[in-house]
Amino acid sequence: MESNSLFSLLKFYFSVFLCEKEGVKYALKLIDKDLIIEENLADNIKTELSIMKALNNPYIVKIYEILSSAQKIIFVMEYVEGGDLFDEIKRGEGER
């Protein structure tokens, strides 16, 4: 896969879905295990997890739970309205 930025590369490896339980919205980040292994990104995922679990800041998305299946790693995260950071970064790149 050709990519011009790390953000483009990482966006390819995961999908984010909105779910709701008992009136509370959550974001589910599904990460494909096979692609992570193929691209040797396991350390990146571990680093992301350790940082997200360690930080408690109102400006950083909270991670509530980590689940795993045979094909996916699933982060259950705080839902934040307004789109994702990747889209905001891409919009900002055009302003430089």
Side-chain angles (χ1 to χ4, degrees):
M1 168 185 39
E2 253 181 73
S3 172
N4 61 0
S5 76
L6 179 59
F7 292 110
S8 296
L9 177 68
L10 293 177
K11 181 119 179 161
F12 178 76
Y13 291 106
F14 66 84
S15 301
V16 178
F17 298 92
L18 172 64
C19 73
E20 188 170 339
K21 181 178 180 184
E22 298 176 1
V24 179
K25 293 180 180 179
Y26 298 93
L28 297 181
K29 181 176 183 179
L30 281 64
I31 305 169
D32 189 312
K33 285 183 178 179
D34 290 336
L35 292 173
I36 294 301
I37 291 167
E38 285 174 21
E39 296 295 327
N40 198 26
L41 293 172
D43 287 340
N44 297 53
I45 300 300
K46 289 177 186 175
T47 300
E48 178 181 359
L49 277 175
S50 65
I51 290 170
M52 289 179 72
K53 286 168 61 176
L55 297 175
N56 184 15
N57 184 295
Y59 299 106
I60 299 174
V61 173
K62 292 173 182 53
I63 187 160
Y64 297 116
E65 194 167 350
I66 303 154
L67 308 170
S68 183
S69 73
Q71 296 86 23
K72 304 284 183 192
I73 299 169
I74 304 163
F75 296 176
V76 179
M77 302 167 27
E78 174 183 21
Y79 172 70
V80 179
E81 290 190 44
D84 67 26
L85 180 59
F86 176 79
D87 293 333
E88 289 297 319
I89 291 169
K90 291 304 285 182
R91 277 193 284 273
E93 285 179 356
E95 296 175 7
R96 291 182 196 174

